[in-house]
Amino acid sequence: MKRSILITGGAGFIGSHVVRLFVNKYPEYNIINLDKLTYAGNLANLKDVENKPNYVFVKADICDFDTILSIFDKYSIDGVIHLAAESHVDRSIKDPFLFAQTNVIGTLSLLQAAKATWEKSGVETKLFYHISTDEVYGSLGSEGFFTEETPYDPHSPYSASKASSDHFVKAFHDTYGLPAVISNCSNNYGPYQFPEKLIPLFINNIRNNKPLPVYGKGENVRDWLYVIDHARAIDVIFHKGRVGETYNIGGFNEWKNIDLIKVMIKVTDRLLGRNEGASDSLITYVTDRAGHDLRYAIDSGKLKNELGWEPSLQFEEGIEKTVQWYLDNQEWLDGVTSGEYQEYYKKMYSV
Ligand code: NAD
Ligand code: TYD
């Protein structure tokens, strides 16, 4: 079936993998990538698909309701995969207003545009798919997992803004009958991640012999999923997920930060031709992040049992591929850290 799918935040880390997967796998769909190109948006992530006939890029702000409404109309949007967001916890601690604006008001503006448009054309065959995070569930002790029934208990301004956006999506489903589905995923890693997040930041710092700032004692635990496995899960949920449901996505792959960092150092040192562990001396313990959640761990049994999704990559393979990618793409990394990419695309899209 010919579909017109609006993917928001498609120039970001996860969004670019979702856009690539959909453009290549579904030539019969029109994929409209809508992105504001904030510091985190980078069209260089999508060079390999930018000339495909089923791909369009639109530079717009999800908070600009009139523009969003006109895009729904212009492209006859019948499906939304909503990833656009401010996504970094440390930035949210510094500027919570921006997170409320983008993540809450931006999501509300998309929901309202979908509702207004689809009320006229009929909601059958339509879907609003909201991409969220496991961080909405708060923090775990040393035992247990987040399930879809775990009560929301966000601690950071980032997770509070994502929790709020999830509630708005549920409210639009329950109040107006908007066909909606939500997924909450654990920490992603892989190519094209902005080097402010742990894994690409540390690979880049090891490469440049710069300190590796470990928050607190490095004892916090995260459940890491290779980004392409997240994109595969999004594909499955978009096509087969039950409307009104939430699906948790995780890697069953928990790592204490300091253990993960030691693995990253070993792999990066080896691939750089250094002695494995030579960069251990770069580890620098720094003041802990305020409100730092101790442990996240996802039970993705529902997604596996209902829709048959499982992660495809073992962590050892994923981290090796990831480190190799950043070392092979130093131009991308240097471009992003120098801000060159934004200058280039600002000129291209005259902003
Ligand atoms: P990212 O920061 O790499 O990308 C976000 C994208 O959104 C960028 O391209 C940016 O330009 C765009 N954007 C920001 N504000 C916008 C606005 N007002 N209008 C239009 N576009 C805007 O983020 P990511 O890591 O790829 O995360 C994508 C989504 O997945 C987010 O909703 C995030 O909450 C969720 N998520 C991320 C992770 C993770 O580990 N990174 C895990 C679970 C869920
Ligand atoms: P991050 O990649 O920011 O993801 P999130 O906060 O969404 O989980 O951080 C992952 C973990 O690594 C988290 O426990 C914080 C920690 N961390 C550091 O210790 N040092 C750093 O420089 C960064 C960016 C994160």
Side-chain angles (χ1 to χ4, degrees), residues 8-16 34-42 60-63 82-88 101-103 106 130-135 158 162 183-189 192-194 196-197 224 230:
T8 70
F13 166 48
I14 303 169
S16 63
L34 184 151
D35 200 294
K36 185 182 174 182
L37 298 182
T38 66
Y39 80 96
N42 183 359
D61 185 338
I62 53 169
C63 300
H82 172 38
L83 297 111
E86 287 295 334
S87 67
H88 190 43
Q101 178 67 18
T102 301
N103 299 357
H130 179 59
I131 307 300
S132 192
T133 167
D134 61 354
E135 303 190 27
Y158 164 64
K162 290 296 292 187
S183 59
N184 296 83
C185 188
S186 62
N187 286 62
N188 285 214
Y189 71 100
Y192 299 115
Q193 187 167 30
F194 194 83
E196 64 185 351
K197 305 278 168 67
W224 293 94
H230 189 187

Side-chain angles (χ1 to χ4, degrees), residues 111 168-181 243-245:
L111 286 164
F168 270 107
V169 174
K170 288 176 196 183
F172 268 64
H173 171 264
D174 296 350
T175 306
Y176 308 113
L178 189 83
V181 68
V243 167
E245 293 290 317

